[in-house]
Amino acid sequence: TAGITQAPTSQILAAGRSMTLRCTQDMRHNAMYWYRQDLGLGLRLIHYSNTAGTTGKGEVPDGYSVSRANTDDFPLTLASAVPSQTSVYFCASSSILGDSPLHFGNGTRLTVT
Amino acid sequence: GEDVEQSLFLSVREGDSSVINCTYTDSSSTYLYWYKQEPGAGLQLLTYIFSNMDMKQDQRLTVLLNKKDKHLSLRIADTQTGDSAIYFCAESRAAGNKLTFGGGTRVLVKP
């Protein structure tokens, strides 16, 4: 089973350029999330979506945008990248029913130069 | 806002028990999780506990929750070299709700 697929695996991006990180899940989970992981800071929530058609801001949303056109896809866009956005980005999903935990993708390592 | 704290590093000998500690501030936390992250990989759920439980055991893993002190611990019995990883504590207010993570504890198992 695929679970959550993130692409690309890694990317080097020049400051000022835009980029979209892709995330697709095949578990029909209602909720999806984008986290960034930085050394010593753990994972911080960027944006989330509880269901298709809705999105919400997390702890560190500035500089990022998301969309949720359907259940399976939750792309994260950096409109104009800055070096402070160098990080490892993880997409996650969960069912909002029952005690479903978060399932994570393998991450996208982004370096902004 | 919510805050979750963990110690940064733990070194343990193979075969010994490991105890990783976590404290949180949100009294509304309902679910508390332990995730494991191996190098270059995403986070893997190890176990979780509801806030109305004191303890949960799952094979080599034992989770203890002191709700009064907002303290969570993960004990790994008979620690193996494959247990070397970063362990994250996380909390949420509802099932499937967004999680707040601690900074992670890097566990190094020495032979």
Side-chain angles (χ1 to χ4, degrees), chain A residues 5-24:
Chain A
T5 302
Q6 290 186 238
T9 303
S10 66
Q11 180 78 45
I12 299 174
L13 185 68
R17 300 295 294 269
S18 66
M19 180 180 180
T20 295
L21 281 63
R22 300 186 297 280
C23 175
T24 300

Side-chain angles (χ1 to χ4, degrees), chain A residues 5-85:
Chain A
T5 302
Q6 290 186 238
T9 303
S10 66
Q11 180 78 45
I12 299 174
L13 185 68
R17 300 295 294 269
S18 66
M19 180 180 180
T20 295
L21 281 63
R22 300 186 297 280
C23 175
T24 300
Q25 53 106 356
D26 63 1
M27 297 173 283
R28 306 302 295 169
H29 282 167
N30 310 91
M32 296 187 75
Y33 311 84
W34 274 105
Y35 286 88
R36 61 177 288 175
Q37 183 180 22
D38 302 289
L39 190 64
L41 296 175
L43 278 79
R44 293 179 293 169
L45 182 66
I46 304 171
H47 285 286
Y48 66 95
S49 168
N50 283 333
T51 189
T54 68
T55 62
K57 292 182 179 180
E59 183 184 352
V60 288
D62 294 343
Y64 305 95
S65 63
V66 291
S67 61
R68 188 87 185 277
N70 57 62
T71 297
D72 299 342
D73 301 300
F74 191 44
L76 176 73
T77 297
L78 288 68
S80 180
V82 294
S84 63
Q85 291 178 309

Side-chain angles (χ1 to χ4, degrees), chain B residues 67-82:
Chain B
K67 194 174 181 182
K68 172 177 172 290
D69 294 339
K70 299 189 184 68
H71 181 268
L72 182 75
S73 68
L74 174 69
R75 178 177 181 270
I76 306 173
D78 187 24
T79 310
Q80 303 298 307
T81 54

